[in-house]
């Protein structure tokens, strides 16, 4: 196909990218603003980054967010993987449709409802809201995303690999840990990263289920912004963007290198 | 040293009524829901035999193999291995190993790792594992590929890794599911002979599943021909070809011409068969066909002679017209339409470079064959 750089194409691309990324670019630029006014450029400065690291409230919130993210992503990955295994391996058991529906319902459930229902549950059973409840809530909603990612990998998994392992004398549990798990590991890692990302940027469910001393970064930022945007917040967001961007770039570079290496190997093998 | 041929010629435990079968399927039935994959099947396989299960897809041959390996349990009936009932024994405790059609090589392990996997499960000492892996690599000529991953190998190399992995544990029985299916024709022919050598040198019992009759004929001591979950015939390749037990087997293995008719007269082994159009065929091996039976006379194309004149003294001869011919180099296949409308295939070897009496399209021609060239089938 011929790429034609007509005026129309150029304009639509520029507008499209501007719509998507201009706000982020502005945010990054203004995080280096020397002026305290968020919308007026007063020269280059990194003072807000210094201020950010001295801001106990924001740093505490960041630490809570990371801990909640790590724990909830890990537990959700274990549970989501088990759910995916059950759904792909045991295609006929009583209540399978119900189970599958319940596993995937949080995907489409409005967050407000998930958050509110969890809040009601915690209140009803007298569970003090705090770090535990936020983490539990995050496990609940991110588990289904892990299940989706792992299930799609398991669908294309060649069962004869497991049969071969058992045929060679490995009992089922050993087969799972030595064959199945290593082969589906990339999907499990993607699932974990997805769960972690969802957890660290969740606002709605965290707001419902969090309590004193367990304020997450998005909650903190949101509450501060309501009092007026400070350049400190811009700096915090810029750091978040940088971390996510670096993660994505590393992942895609590694993927690309693996792909190239694989292609080269296969061509070499074809030649004999 | 005995050659492969002489060992094979002497090897016929199935003909010895005192020989104990090594693997026995006893009235085995396997149902998947309402579908009957294997239907009340009984079969004996002897030690050190190279046994082929031959059939079209869906005939139950793979199910038989999977039941031997332990991935499926029979719905009824039992399977004995060396006198032991296999029911309830999980795949990882059965002394059989399988080579999978997809090879099922572990993608995250090297060639060495794949071959060593089964040995590690037995807690074999490390030094012994290393020695065995080396020996296996040498056996399949892959020494320099030990550190490669499966995706860095060609199809033929992967096949050999799969083979090495499945024989590394020295199983009593090796099961091979379409072992050569993914290879190209030339490689397939070479590998057939490698497999036969391997089976002889390791002294293993091989059970191979295939849909390729040529493959089964080349490699196997005996072939079981399966259809719809039932055994149609179990016999040596030569018996299957020259003395098929039924119309199905005759039609399934190789090319065949079938003449339908009725036994008009029968005297000792010799029978006279009359076709619908009145043509007569004299047959020496009439089997159990009796006078009045509706039978098929089956004859292979290479047993039929084609000539432009009626050969003198021919017992069976029919006249027709060459309606098609295919020159294949080593032989020529004639399609002769007889005067009663039936088309007969006849192949003749091109033993000399020039034919004196070349037949071509639309020529009048005679087909002829001796009385012992074909068989009479009642089933």
């Amino acid at each position: 196909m011929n790429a034609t750089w007509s005026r129309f194409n150029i304009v639509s691309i520029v507008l499209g990218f501007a719509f998507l990324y201009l706000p982020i670019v502005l945010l990054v630029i203004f995080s280096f603003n020397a002026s305290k006014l968020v919308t007026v450029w007063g020269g280059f400065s990194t003072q807000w980054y210094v201020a950010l690291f001295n801001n106990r409230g924001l740093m505490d919130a960041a630490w809570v967010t990371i801990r909640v993210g790590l724990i909830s992503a890990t537990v959700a990955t274990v549970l989501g993987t088990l759910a995916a295994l059950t759904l792909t391996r045991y295609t006929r058991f009583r209540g399978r449709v119900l189970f599958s529906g319940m596993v995937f319902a949080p995907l489409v459930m409005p967050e407000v409802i998930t958050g509110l229902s969890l809040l009601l549950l915690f209140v009803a059973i007298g569970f003090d809201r705090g770090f535990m409840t936020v983490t539990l809530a995050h496990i609940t909603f991110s588990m289904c995303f892990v299940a989706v990612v792992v299930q799609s990998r398991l669908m294309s998994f060649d069962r004869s690999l497991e049969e071969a392992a058992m045929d060679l004398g490995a009992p089922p549990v050993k087969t799972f840990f030595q064959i199945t798990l290593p082969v589906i590991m990339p999907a499990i890692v993607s699932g974990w990263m997805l769960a972690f990302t969802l957890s660290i940027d969740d606002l709605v469910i965290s707001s419902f289920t969090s309590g004193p001393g367990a304020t997450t970064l998005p909650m903190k930022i949101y509450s501060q912004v309501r009092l007026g945007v400070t350049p400190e917040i811009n700096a915090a967001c810029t750091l978040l963007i940088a971390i996510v961007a670096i993660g994505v770039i590393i992942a895609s570079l590694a993927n690309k290198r693996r792909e190239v290496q694989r292609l080269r190997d296969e061509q070499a093998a074809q030649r004999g | 040293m005995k050659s492969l041929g002489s060992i094979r010629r002497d090897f016929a435990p199935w003909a010895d009524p005192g020989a104990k079968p090594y693997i026995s399927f006893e009235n085995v039935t396997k149902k998947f829901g309402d579908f009957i994959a294997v239907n009340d099947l009984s079969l004996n396989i002897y030690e050190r035999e190279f046994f082929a299960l031959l059939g079209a897809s869906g005939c139950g041959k793979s199910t038989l193999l999977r039941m031997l390996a332990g991935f499926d349990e029979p719905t009824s009936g039992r399977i004995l291995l060396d006198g032991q009932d296999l029911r309830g024994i999980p795949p990882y405790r059965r002394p059989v190993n399988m080579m999978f059609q997809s090879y099922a090589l572990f993608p995250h392990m090297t060639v060495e790792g794949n071959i060593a996997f089964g040995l590690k499960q037995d807690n074999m000492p490390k030094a012994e594992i290393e020695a065995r892996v080396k020996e296996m690599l040498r056996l399949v000529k892959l020494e320099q590929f030990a550190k490669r991953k499966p995706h860095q190998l060609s199809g033929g190399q992967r096949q050999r890794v799969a083979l090495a992995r499945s024989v590394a544990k020295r199983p009593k029985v090796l099961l091979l599911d379409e072992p050569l299916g993914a290879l190209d024709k030339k490689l397939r022919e070479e590998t057939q002979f490698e497999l036969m050598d391997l089976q002889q040198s390791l002294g293993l019992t091989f059970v191979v599943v295939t849909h390729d009759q040529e493959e089964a004929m080349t490699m196997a001591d005996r072939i079981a021909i399966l259809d719809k979950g039932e055994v149609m015939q179990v016999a040596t390749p030569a018996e299957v070809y020259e003395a098929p037990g039924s119309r199905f087997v005759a039609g399934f293995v190789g090319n065949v011409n079938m003449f339908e008719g009725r036994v008009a007269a029968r005297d000792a082994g010799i029978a006279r068969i009359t076709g619908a159009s009145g043509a007569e065929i004299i047959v020496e091996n009439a089997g159990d066909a009796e006078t009045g039976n509706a039978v098929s006379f089956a004859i292979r194309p290479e047993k039929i002679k084609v000539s432009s004149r009626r050969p003198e003294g021919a017992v069976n001869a029919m006249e027709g017209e060459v309606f098609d011919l295919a020159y294949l180099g080593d032989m020529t296949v004639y399609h002769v339409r007889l005067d009663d409308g039936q088309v007969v295939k006849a192949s003749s070897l091109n033993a000399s470079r020039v034919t004196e009496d070349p037949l071509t399209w639309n020529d009048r021609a005679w087909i002829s064959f001796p009385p012992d060239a074909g068989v009479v089938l009642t089933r």
Side-chain angles (χ1 to χ4, degrees):
Chain A
M1 210 183 88
N2 258 328
T4 46
W5 290 100
S6 72
R7 193 161 297 172
F8 175 77
N9 279 355
I10 294 171
V11 169
S12 34
I13 279 191
V14 169
L15 280 179
F17 278 127
F19 179 74
L20 286 174
Y21 294 109
L22 198 59
I24 296 175
V25 172
L26 280 177
L27 184 144
V28 172
I29 292 172
F30 278 105
S31 73
F32 294 105
N33 195 353
S35 160
K36 198 171 170 53
L37 292 165
V38 184
T39 47
V40 182
W41 184 249
F44 180 84
S45 155
T46 52
Q47 58 167 308
W48 302 114
Y49 287 88
V50 179
L52 170 67
F53 283 104
N54 291 326
N55 184 331
R56 278 299 305 233
L58 273 178
M59 290 313 284
D60 283 350
W63 179 229
V64 169
T65 306
I66 289 170
R67 277 190 302 158
V68 170
L70 288 177
I71 296 173
S72 69
T74 307
V75 178
T77 300
V78 173
L79 293 177
T81 303
L82 290 176
L85 278 167
T86 312
L87 284 170
T88 39
R89 293 304 161 78
Y90 303 98
T91 48
R92 288 204 312 208
F93 63 87
R94 194 185 290 267
R96 181 180 185 275
V97 175
L98 183 69
F99 179 69
S100 139
M102 304 244 287
V103 167
F104 296 125
L107 277 176
V108 290
M109 188 80 76
E111 279 190 72
V112 181
I113 294 180
T114 310
L116 185 61
S117 57
L118 282 165
L119 171 65
L120 292 176
L121 173 77
F122 292 139
V123 170
I125 60 174
F127 207 143
D128 280 342
R129 277 172 295 135
F131 184 79
M132 266 307 271
T133 49
V134 182
T135 310
L136 280 175
H138 282 201
I139 293 169
T140 311
F141 84 84
S142 56
M143 189 193 87
C144 61
F145 290 91
V146 179
V148 170
V149 173
V150 176
Q151 194 189 11
S152 73
R153 175 65 188 92
L154 281 171
M155 296 278 211
S156 61
F157 183 86
D158 182 6
R159 287 299 295 277
S160 62
L161 287 182
E162 289 173 351
E163 288 178 345
M166 289 204 258
D167 185 64
L168 291 165
V173 173
K174 217 166 171 187
T175 299
F176 177 75
F177 283 106
Q178 293 193 355
I179 305 298
T180 317
L181 206 55
V183 173
I184 64 168
M185 197 39 107
I188 293 179
V189 170
S190 322
W192 187 90
M193 287 186 7
L194 185 61
F196 183 71
T197 317
L198 286 169
S199 167
I200 58 172
D201 75 12
D202 175 73
L203 172 63
V204 178
I205 292 172
S206 305
S207 307
F208 274 106
T209 53
S210 165
T215 309
T216 64
L217 194 57
M219 287 166 68
K220 187 81 186 168
I221 292 172
Y222 183 68
S223 65
Q224 289 212 351
V225 166
R226 275 192 303 183
L227 307 172
V229 181
T230 64
E232 257 173 296
I233 300 293
N234 285 349
C237 294
T238 302
L239 284 181
L240 269 180
I241 293 167
I243 290 167
V244 171
I246 289 169
V248 169
I249 289 168
I250 288 176
S252 63
L253 278 182
N255 218 352
K256 177 131 191 161
R257 251 183 53 181
R258 228 182 2 243
E259 205 55 37
V260 168
Q261 182 63 39
R262 195 187 159 87
L263 224 75
R264 204 178 294 146
D265 288 344
E266 267 165 16
Q267 278 163 0
Q270 288 306 317
R271 281 195 299 271
Chain B
M1 207 181 95
K2 273 186 168 180
S3 75
L4 193 69
S6 73
I7 294 171
R8 300 201 119 201
R9 207 163 31 237
D10 300 341
F11 182 75
W14 51 86
D16 172 8
K20 213 175 114 238
Y22 197 54
I23 302 167
S24 290
F25 289 89
E26 291 181 356
N27 305 99
V28 171
T29 297
K30 176 68 188 178
K31 290 182 190 163
F32 294 103
D34 287 336
F35 176 71
I36 301 173
V38 174
N39 189 10
D40 193 28
L41 177 145
S42 296
L43 193 64
N44 287 332
I45 299 172
Y46 294 87
E47 194 164 8
R48 298 191 170 215
E49 188 171 3
F50 198 131
F51 194 89
L53 297 164
L54 177 64
S57 63
C59 69
K61 58 190 193 297
S62 292
T63 308
L64 280 181
L65 208 64
R66 293 178 58 82
M67 287 194 287
L68 252 180
F71 303 130
D72 287 320
E73 285 283 354
T75 311
S76 66
R78 57 180 198 159
I79 304 172
L80 302 177
L81 173 65
D82 203 7
Q84 186 194 11
D85 190 346
L86 288 178
R87 177 167 287 277
I89 301 178
Y92 47 92
R93 293 220 191 87
R94 294 192 182 194
V96 301
N97 282 143
M98 178 148 159
M99 190 188 140
F100 289 78
Q101 186 175 10
S102 63
Y103 306 150
L105 298 178
F106 307 132
H108 57 296
M109 293 182 192
T110 60
V111 167
E112 271 181 336
N114 268 281
I115 297 175
F117 185 85
L119 304 171
K120 282 185 188 154
Q121 308 307 319
D122 290 353
N123 296 322
M124 199 189 243
K126 219 170 172 191
E128 245 176 88
I129 292 183
E130 265 172 40
R132 181 73 66 85
V133 169
K134 268 219 181 82
E135 181 196 334
M136 287 299 137
L137 286 169
R138 202 166 45 238
L139 191 70
V140 295
K141 302 183 197 83
L142 285 174
E143 290 106 318
Q144 68 272 44
F145 297 103
K147 304 282 180 213
R148 292 235 192 143
K149 293 271 184 76
H151 71 265
Q152 296 168 305
L153 300 173
S154 70
Q157 290 164 345
R158 281 181 217 180
Q159 193 264 356
R160 302 221 293 278
V161 177
L163 185 63
R165 186 179 72 179
S166 56
V167 293
K169 290 185 79 171
R170 304 264 159 82
K172 289 182 177 175
V173 179
L174 183 65
L175 311 174
L176 303 103
D177 189 1
E178 303 275 0
L180 312 174
L183 303 181
D184 59 51
K185 195 169 187 300
K186 198 155 176 278
L187 202 54
R188 197 156 61 212
E189 282 167 7
E190 286 172 25
T191 316
Q192 281 174 3
F193 289 100
E194 283 177 19
L195 275 181
M196 290 158 69
D197 282 341
L198 188 76
Q199 190 249 348
Q200 290 292 338
S201 58
L202 296 178
L204 300 178
T205 307
F206 273 32
V207 181
V208 55
V209 154
T210 179
H211 69 275
D212 183 337
Q213 39 165 303
E214 220 174 286
E215 198 173 294
M217 302 278 273
T218 313
M219 297 194 293
D221 292 312
R222 281 192 309 156
I223 301 173
I225 291 155
L226 302 176
D227 184 41
K228 299 191 188 89
E230 292 178 34
V231 175
M232 305 311 287
Q233 188 170 4
V234 186
T236 63
E239 278 170 350
V240 165
Y241 190 77
E242 302 293 0
S246 64
R247 295 181 180 96
F248 177 85
V249 173
F252 187 77
V253 179
N255 277 313
V256 74
N257 295 296
M258 295 273 201
F259 294 90
E260 304 302 328
R262 223 162 249 293
V263 180
R266 160 147 208 170
D267 178 22
I270 299 180
R272 202 173 74 233
I273 296 167
T274 326
S277 63
E280 254 187 21
I281 298 170
I282 310 286
V283 196
E284 260 176 32
N285 0 314
D288 54 359
E290 285 170 29
T291 310
N293 280 165
V295 294
S296 299
F297 173 72
I299 181 165
R300 303 283 181 194
E302 72 277 5
K303 312 270 193 304
I304 299 179
K305 190 168 177 272
V306 187
S307 51
S308 53
R309 279 179 295 274
R310 185 185 169 111
E312 271 179 50
V315 178
N316 296 306
M318 296 169 203
E319 201 180 2
E321 187 180 283
V322 177
F323 127 88
D324 207 350
L325 65 86
Y327 176 75
L328 303 177
D330 55 345
M331 61 175 179
T332 305
V333 179
Y334 296 94
H335 289 216
V336 178
R337 183 182 284 129
L338 300 181
D339 292 342
D340 65 5
Q342 184 172 3
V343 175
V344 173
K345 270 181 275 176
S347 54
S348 68
L349 203 62
N350 296 325
S352 56
R353 289 177 56 227
V354 203
T355 318
E356 291 171 16
D357 181 18
L359 281 162
T360 181
W361 281 272
N362 300 330
D363 279 355
R364 292 299 289 175
W366 283 85
I367 63 158
S368 57
F369 47 89
D372 63 352
V375 288
V376 175
L377 302 171
T378 51
R379 275 181 293 139

